[in-house]
Amino acid sequence: HMEFRAARGRGPRRVVAHLGPTNSGKTYNAIKARGTASSGAYCGPLRLLAWEVHERLLADGVKCSLLTGQECEEVADATHVSSTIEMAHLSRHVDIAVIDEIQLLADDHRGWAWTRAFLGIPAAELHVCGDPSSEPLLRDLCRLTGDELVCKRYERLAPLEIGPSVKSFAAVEPGDCVVAFGRRALYKLK
């Protein structure tokens, strides 16, 4: 954690953990917390999520750049940046940063990116969103860094129901979503 001098140089950060199941409003509340912050960052696991946050901030009149592995849309005089987790800025000081899907700290393949962002983003206030199972690891990391941890817990806003399995793509209906992770899986589905 000491390798991230910009983050450590700010002094202890306030880390707000928004913990709950899918569809509980945790990411919405974390992004909303940026409120009138003069600068901010959002880091998510998917290009589509970074794009969605970017578009939402632009619609609110916030100058926001977009950085993903495939896109680099630098907005002149941007005060905010929305990016995939691997593209997180570690040298740009911000008032509030949001890291989505923080439980992926424990992922064998991409966990390095969440660890790097969590330890390295120089934000006065860091909001992380994810599954409650990530709380012990967050507590350990905050003890290590000296950051203050505040946990906010959420409940699901609407019931989650598993529908019948779809046997072929011909059975996909409007409103359904097909999810694939990784370029190979996307080409296979295509």
Side-chain angles (χ1 to χ4, degrees):
H1 71 287
M2 294 307 291
E3 292 179 24
F4 302 101
R5 290 188 176 103
R8 299 293 78 74
R10 287 194 76 125
R13 299 174 299 178
R14 181 171 190 256
V15 176
V16 180
H18 301 265
L19 304 173
T22 300
N23 192 31
S24 61
K26 55 191 182 295
T27 303
Y28 169 82
N29 283 298
I31 292 170
K32 186 178 170 187
R34 79 161 179 85
T36 58
S38 60
S39 61
Y42 168 84
C43 301
L46 303 172
R47 183 174 61 95
L48 184 59
L49 290 174
W51 179 84
E52 183 181 327
V53 170
H54 172 254
E55 293 296 310
R56 188 180 314 160
L57 291 174
L58 290 177
D60 289 346
V62 176
K63 291 185 177 185
C64 181
S65 294
L66 175 66
L67 294 173
T68 72
Q70 296 173 312
E71 297 153 312
C72 180
E73 292 182 24
E74 293 283 345
V75 173
D77 301 322
T79 57
H80 290 67
V81 63
S82 182
S83 69
T84 51
I85 194 75
E86 290 86 356
M87 300 296 289
H89 269 284
L90 302 185
S91 59
R92 183 172 181 249
H93 291 266
V94 293
D95 293 333
I96 292 181
V98 175
I99 300 176
D100 209 351
E101 303 296 345
I102 195 65
Q103 72 277 1
L104 291 172
L105 278 164
D107 184 76
D108 289 339
H109 301 285
R110 291 180 72 199
W112 65 268
W114 273 266
T115 303
R116 177 181 164 270
F118 183 86
L119 295 174
I121 293 177
E125 192 167 289
L126 183 62
H127 288 253
V128 297
C129 316
D131 189 86
S133 65
S134 61
E135 186 177 344
L137 184 51
L138 291 172
R139 289 198 181 284
D140 288 345
L141 288 171
C142 285
R143 266 193 296 278
L144 178 69
T145 59
D147 294 334
E148 169 197 6
L149 178 64
V150 176
C151 292
K152 295 186 176 190
R153 290 168 177 61
Y154 297 83
E155 298 295 326
R156 192 178 311 279
L157 297 172
L160 182 64
E161 297 176 14
I162 298 174
S165 65
V166 176
K167 302 293 182 201
S168 74
F169 285 109
V172 173
E173 298 178 5
D176 289 348
C177 175
V178 177
V179 178
F181 294 96
R183 188 170 290 169
R184 285 189 184 132
L186 289 173
Y187 284 127
K188 184 179 177 183
L189 289 174
K190 184 179 179 187

